[in-house]
Amino acid sequence: MTEAHWWQDAAVYQVYVRSFADSDGDGVGDLPGITARLPYLADLGVDAVWVTPFYRSPMADHGYDVADQCDVDPMFGTLADADRLVTAAHALGLRVIVDLVPNHSSDEHPWFQEALRDPSSRLRERYLFRKPGPDGGPPNNWESVFGGPAWSRDEASGEYYLHLFDRKQPDFDWRHPAVHEEWERILRFWLDRGVDGFRIDVAHGLYKQAALTDHPPSLESQDALFHASAAPHAWDQPEVVDVYRRWRQITDGYTDRVMVGEVFLSQLERVARFVGPDRLHQSFNFPLLAAPLDAQTWRRLITASLAAFEVDGAAPTWVLSNHDVIRHATRYGGGEQGRARARAATLTLLGLPGSPYLYQGEELGLEQDDVPGPARQDPIWLRSGGTVPGRDGARTPMPWTAQAPGHGFSSGTPWLPFGGQAAERSVAAQEGDPGSTLAFYRRALAQRRALRGGLDRTVTWLDGPPDVLAYARRHADGDALVCVLNTGEATTTFALPGATLLVSSDPAATASADALTLPAGTAMWVRAQV
Ligand code: NOJ
């Protein structure tokens, strides 16, 4: 790395707007709600906030169906509220990353509305309308990520339009120049308003194979999390990277802005194509999120991630939870043990070079909620006729206080119900408790800040028992930061003379004069000579 940029090491906190803080009592979180809670995020010790889509939207996919990317949905506030959020964040030293959704729009976007109203409109060329297949059905066998066919019929013309997600999210045709021009305008609109960067939704999408041919049926239903592996013509086409080359030229015209792509591909070498000095600064790194918490697997994936992303003009990212997946405390077994393992996993990633992306509520040890069927709202649940649970369990509101029914989130009825964990794991219940998950996150993030300026970006693996992952990063003062994680089922010791404990995921993880002792599912940072 030649020059240090804030985003190369920023801890980024993802705010899922609908569920963070509701200022007006309608049960849905909003921008003024976030602004009021920014001091909490500054105290937590993160560097940036990624705010999920708050633009005009009919909310068929809760904001990822955008009708106007340059206006704020009244449910979330106004453009002036967005400006106030950015100003207030900057005053607290926090950066703001906003979400762009360039693969598709809402069917209520003015272009699509006009395309439907007038079948001879040239605006149809900005989407993917096609004649029916030979049997009168959809033009090809592509499936929506949310279930069912990826095509819906426009009754007026008899043609179908492509939507890789919900029928209310028609895909743009990125082979049309007007789509490029529009998105460059949108980019500049938000850059000029002072945002510090973009999270790019479905960044591996945008282009589809030009002929829109059938996918090989043999690939269907493979690897459910990484839908692209079963649909090679719909995602990750060679042309897409050129879009980000252009966007990088635009963002480079502003001071120190970042683009992070949601490149949802299972093969890191495919993801690596998206990042570099002339394309995206970062991509999410999902293979680790899909992997079990196992020392050998993690060592292999972290090594591969560093090789792919620790390159000039870019930086790695580390993600364990977001609004689309089961919360990691639950994935790691749930309950006391799952939450302990989640803290250990997080501490391990926080010590690596690059940007950890933290999802709201993980700092409280929140587990996935079991939202009752009638209350579920995810289009995945609705499109599957109530057979696939969907993502609502990761999206329940933030419990700020122990007081039901609103838990400090809302004075009204929350759009998704709180689960049973809300009171006990609320921010208020954990404030002032040094043994809480919240206190652990604060300690870890504070240590990270204190150390990072002096840390070398090279990660050196240290050998230990098979269930132990251990690495060191040299510090300018001569010592090293050593991180040790025990993913096994039994307590283990790790020989390391003269280590000083910095932070541990569990008070039972300790350092003596000769060795570290780590109970099952714990991690610790120490300073030592290695
Ligand atoms: C990825 C987003 O994270 C998800 O929530 C959304 O449903 C899809 N992209 C479609 O925009």
Side-chain angles (χ1 to χ4, degrees):
M1 295 280 167
T2 38
E3 198 192 332
H5 298 283
W6 67 271
W7 46 264
Q8 286 171 325
D9 268 318
V12 185
Y13 185 97
Q14 179 190 354
V15 165
Y16 188 71
V17 181
R18 295 179 70 87
S19 300
F20 192 63
D22 169 21
S23 71
D24 60 6
D26 66 357
V28 178
D30 47 41
L31 298 183
I34 301 171
T35 304
R37 296 291 186 180
L38 287 173
Y40 166 82
L41 298 180
D43 281 353
L44 184 60
V46 296
D47 304 293
V49 190
W50 150 30
V51 187
T52 59
F54 48 79
Y55 318 106
R56 274 198 187 268
S57 166
M59 307 289 165
D61 188 18
H62 300 117
Y64 283 95
D65 49 319
V66 182
D68 182 350
Q69 184 87 47
C70 295
D71 200 8
V72 175
D73 195 278
M75 181 181 277
F76 296 137
T78 62
L79 270 177
D81 289 329
D83 292 340
R84 275 192 281 271
L85 192 163
V86 172
T87 306
H90 288 169
L92 289 166
L94 295 166
R95 318 266 179 161
V96 179
I97 293 174
V98 299
D99 215 318
L100 296 181
V101 191
N103 179 69
H104 46 263
S105 71
S106 161
D107 65 341
E108 296 182 31
H109 188 286
W111 289 1
F112 196 77
Q113 286 289 299
E114 181 58 17
L116 285 186
R117 196 192 60 77
D118 174 8
S120 67
S121 166
R122 300 293 306 265
L123 291 179
R124 277 171 101 83
E125 296 163 10
R126 300 177 185 189
Y127 294 91
L128 290 153
F129 283 88
R130 290 294 181 275
K131 295 197 184 340
D135 62 353
N140 68 21
N141 69 353
W142 297 8
E143 304 237 314
S144 154
V145 172
F146 292 167
W151 298 90
S152 286
R153 198 171 140 94
D154 160 28
E155 294 302 334
S157 67
E159 290 189 336
Y160 284 80
Y161 66 88
L162 181 74
H163 53 86
L164 292 177
F165 295 92
D166 191 73
R167 62 178 298 145
K168 286 183 69 61
Q169 292 166 294
D171 284 52
F172 287 116
D173 185 354
W174 272 86
R175 297 179 192 279
H176 195 295
V179 175
H180 292 250
E181 283 159 27
E182 174 65 356
W183 277 94
E184 289 170 21
R185 180 184 77 84
I186 293 167
L187 235 60
R188 290 186 191 284
F189 177 87
W190 288 106
L191 290 167
D192 289 340
R193 292 196 102 84
V195 304
D196 300 285
F198 302 112
R199 177 264 189 189
I200 301 164
D201 189 61
V202 200
H204 60 306
L206 281 58
Y207 278 85
K208 281 82 198 172
Q209 181 228 46
L212 302 176
T213 48
D214 278 358
H215 292 126
S218 60
L219 294 181
E220 274 169 28
S221 83
Q222 264 187 10
D223 197 354
L225 185 59
F226 294 103
H227 39 76
S229 60
H233 305 321
W235 313 96
D236 193 24
Q237 300 301 298
E239 299 90 338
V240 66
V241 172
D242 289 336
V243 173
Y244 306 126
R245 285 204 173 91
R246 176 71 193 123
W247 290 12
R248 182 69 175 250
Q249 287 169 354
I250 295 173
T251 54
D252 278 353
Y254 293 76
T255 311
D256 226 6
R257 313 294 168 101
V258 67
M259 291 183 288
V260 54
E262 188 215 16
V263 183
F264 214 98
L265 299 170
S266 56
Q267 291 170 286
L268 276 179
E269 56 277 21
R270 302 292 305 173
V271 185
R273 289 192 314 120
F274 286 78
V275 299
D278 62 344
R279 46 199 84 185
L280 299 180
H281 306 73
Q282 294 181 334
S283 163
F284 289 141
N285 176 6
F286 290 118
L288 201 65
L289 174 154
L293 182 58
D294 162 71
Q296 300 307 322
T297 310
W298 270 46
R299 180 164 168 172
R300 183 170 52 76
L301 287 173
I302 293 170
T303 304
S305 305
L306 291 170
F309 303 123
E310 180 64 3
V311 296
D312 198 25
T317 67
W318 311 104
V319 186
L320 292 174
S321 281
N322 64 36
H323 63 295
D324 291 330
V325 299
I326 294 175
R327 284 181 176 278
H328 65 289
T330 302
R331 291 205 313 276
Y332 296 152
E336 200 67 60
Q337 200 195 15
R339 294 202 306 280
R341 286 165 67 84
R343 283 195 301 274
T346 299
L347 185 62
T348 305
L349 295 186
L350 287 178
L352 294 169
S355 286
Y357 280 75
L358 310 174
Y359 179 49
Q360 69 183 42
E362 68 169 78
E363 78 278 19
L364 305 177
L366 290 191
E367 296 177 51
Q368 191 81 354
D369 273 316
D370 186 11
V371 177
R376 289 189 192 152
Q377 311 221 10
D378 187 347
I380 293 181
W381 167 255
L382 303 175
R383 279 180 70 86
S384 70
T387 56
V388 183
R391 303 162 292 182
D392 293 318
R395 300 174 174 184
T396 49
M398 268 292 276
W400 294 97
T401 70
Q403 275 84 49
H407 290 286
F409 163 72
S410 177
S411 57
T413 306
W415 73 286
L416 281 176
F418 285 98
Q421 59 184 332
E424 182 197 344
R425 293 194 200 129
S426 62
V427 174
Q430 298 193 38
E431 274 307 344
D433 172 3
S436 67
T437 298
L438 179 58
F440 157 75
Y441 266 74
R442 286 180 175 154
R443 280 196 300 272
L445 288 163
Q447 279 291 350
R448 189 174 182 280
R449 276 199 170 173
L451 290 172
R452 69 180 164 195
L455 282 178
D456 195 288
R457 294 185 74 88
T458 306
V459 172
T460 306
W461 296 107
L462 308 178
D463 290 327
D467 285 334
V468 167
L469 181 85
Y471 65 80
R473 289 177 65 192
R474 300 214 163 278
H475 195 275
D477 68 9
D479 276 355
L481 165 67
V482 177
C483 173
V484 185
L485 163 71
N486 174 11
T487 63
E489 301 296 329
T491 298
T492 193
T493 53
F494 186 83
L496 193 64
T500 315
L501 178 66
L502 293 173
V503 52
S504 68
S505 67
D506 190 295
T510 52
S512 71
D514 305 314
L516 314 181
T517 301
L518 294 115
T522 63
M524 61 203 289
W525 287 2
V526 296
R527 288 187 81 126
Q529 295 272 339
V530 288

